[in-house]
Amino acid sequence: MENKDIEALLPFYINGTLGEIESAQVQKAVAQSAALRSEVEALRLIKTNMQANAPKNAAAELGLARLMRDIEADALPTPANDTARAPFRISPLFGGAMAAMVALAFYAGTAISPDKLEYIQASGEDYTAVLTVRFQPEVTQQAAAATLLEHGLEVVGGPSARGFYRLLPLEDCDMDSLAEILRAESLVFEFVETPQ
Amino acid sequence: MISKISNRDKNAFADFYRAMERPLYGFIFLKLNDSHQTSDLLHDVFIEVWKGAHRFEGRSSVKTWVFGIAYRKVIDVYRRGGRVETMAELPEIEDESPTAEQALAASEQATHVRACVEDLKPDHRVVIELAFFEDFSYRQISEVIGSPEGTVKTRVYHAKKLLLRCVSARLQTGVI
């Protein structure tokens, strides 16, 4: 086995996935070469460093809850039923729902196609200092709109495929404090995150 | 577990999610660097598992099958976004392998390692991450990315060289 082949196998020698024969070949080469030993040591430390800093999903349980909702409602992402995941629901029992939805859209600077219930962002601007939220699945349009009005928030993006919205405060404010206030509105918001 | 999922066992699916969510999230996040986009893609991966479990034939391990789904979805995002590869092939300079001392010092600084991994171009980066984060063998990586084992080894060889060289250079120049 050439030196280049040995070097290519070093990461797998380190992670313990080589077969017996290859592992023995690498082990022998490493024993005979100070440069390879040095490289093995360096790669081990880099591997340890990488694993120690592995990213974690802060919203793992939320992700599972949404998955289970989707599969239980048989709401797999098809165009016909995609709107089932939108947080604002139109119910025949809910008088004035469409009016409230349109009002919210007007307030939020978005346009709505009522027949498709799709939000079309009116502005192409890319906001960065925004909060990202997801509404509780059962929240009504009025409750959501009232909460946004109360806290001086404007919808500038969304919903994403998973129902995330981006909210922009109308006035300068401390985003962390605002996020805490919104999190306390647990009947309205399922998830609130400050800009990263 | 996959056979249970293919039979629409929701508890098995939840168990599968809890077992695979962390490594998959890390794998995707390291490529997209956006928690919301990562969450969306992760959701799509699990939906595909739910919908496609009956198609899993057991020719690879479940883990490599699912990582393969995630990898293809990440590539789709790259293609849609026209992502530019950030680091070229190995520069034509004389090879100066870092000393163990240099690498040791560098490896203690997470910033250097993270920055250098992020600078690798995607097809180099993915093999290093699968080898070092997930302890995949080169055969498993080959299954995940759909490339021959020889290609995986070549990419690992170059990625490793670039990584060590980058870390060493950052240490020498004091870049933080």
Side-chain angles (χ1 to χ4, degrees), chain B residues 141-171:
Chain B
I141 296 175
S142 164
E143 290 169 6
V144 168
I145 69 174
S147 297
E149 291 176 7
T151 303
V152 171
K153 290 178 186 173
T154 301
R155 287 181 186 172
V156 164
Y157 175 82
H158 287 294
K160 177 181 62 65
K161 284 272 186 194
L162 288 164
L163 187 57
L164 288 171
R165 185 176 296 164
C166 172
V167 171
S168 178
R170 285 175 68 91
L171 184 66

Side-chain angles (χ1 to χ4, degrees), chain B residues 17-69:
Chain B
Y17 175 90
R18 291 194 176 96
M20 293 299 300
E21 174 274 332
R22 186 205 58 78
L24 281 172
Y25 181 88
F27 177 68
I28 298 167
F29 181 84
L30 287 168
K31 284 148 199 66
L32 302 183
N33 200 29
D34 179 305
S35 59
H36 301 299
Q37 201 175 13
T38 299
S39 294
D40 283 355
L41 204 76
L42 187 69
H43 182 96
D44 292 345
V45 169
F46 280 104
I47 287 292
E48 188 159 330
V49 168
W50 176 254
K51 292 166 72 176
H54 64 282
R55 290 195 296 269
F56 177 69
E57 296 173 346
R59 284 185 293 190
S60 62
S61 73
V62 172
K63 190 172 182 181
T64 56
W65 176 62
V66 177
F67 270 77
I69 293 171

Side-chain angles (χ1 to χ4, degrees), chain A:
Chain A
M1 194 180 286
E2 293 182 15
N3 202 46
K4 187 177 176 181
D5 298 324
I6 295 289
E7 284 194 50
L9 292 178
L10 288 182
F12 306 106
Y13 174 69
I14 289 166
N15 75 11
T17 59
L18 290 181
E20 274 185 35
I21 294 173
E22 284 179 325
S23 185
Q25 288 173 323
V26 173
Q27 194 168 18
K28 183 179 176 185
V30 168
Q32 293 172 345
S33 165
L36 285 179
R37 285 196 295 278
S38 175
E39 191 164 323
V40 165
E41 186 62 21
L43 290 172
R44 274 206 178 104
L45 290 164
I46 287 174
K47 179 178 188 291
T48 302
N49 195 307
M50 286 172 69
Q51 291 194 325
N53 291 285
K56 292 179 177 60
N57 183 7
E61 284 304 312
L62 277 179
L64 177 58
R66 181 154 285 276
L67 264 178
M68 299 311 284
R69 269 203 301 271
D70 275 3
I71 65 172
E72 283 170 11
D74 198 23
L76 298 181
T78 61
N81 58 17
D82 199 34
T83 52
R85 290 176 302 176
F88 302 119
R89 294 180 174 179
I90 301 301
S91 163
L93 301 175
F94 182 54
M98 185 58 74
M101 200 163 184
V102 172
L104 174 61
F106 175 77
Y107 169 69
T110 60
I112 289 178
S113 171
D115 54 337
K116 294 182 178 178
L117 298 182
E118 287 179 347
Y119 286 71
I120 303 163
Q121 201 166 328
S123 167
E125 292 180 61
D126 179 26
Y127 295 93
T128 52
V130 297
L131 294 168
T132 301
V133 305
R134 188 159 57 203
F135 293 94
Q136 293 287 4
E138 303 306 324
V139 73
T140 63
Q141 291 93 327
Q142 286 104 327
T147 304
L148 297 182
L149 282 168
E150 180 186 349
H151 297 292
L153 290 162
E154 182 178 48
V155 177
V156 293
S160 74
R162 305 284 81 77
F164 289 108
Y165 286 78
R166 296 187 185 274
L167 304 182
L168 180 72
L170 295 173
E171 296 178 4
D172 287 344
C173 66
D174 180 77
M175 297 294 274
D176 289 329
S177 301
L178 178 59
E180 280 307 306
I181 292 169
L182 297 185
R183 286 187 190 108
E185 300 268 12
S186 57
L187 294 177
V188 175
F189 295 106
E190 182 184 63
F191 175 82
V192 178
E193 188 176 79
T194 50
Q196 294 185 333

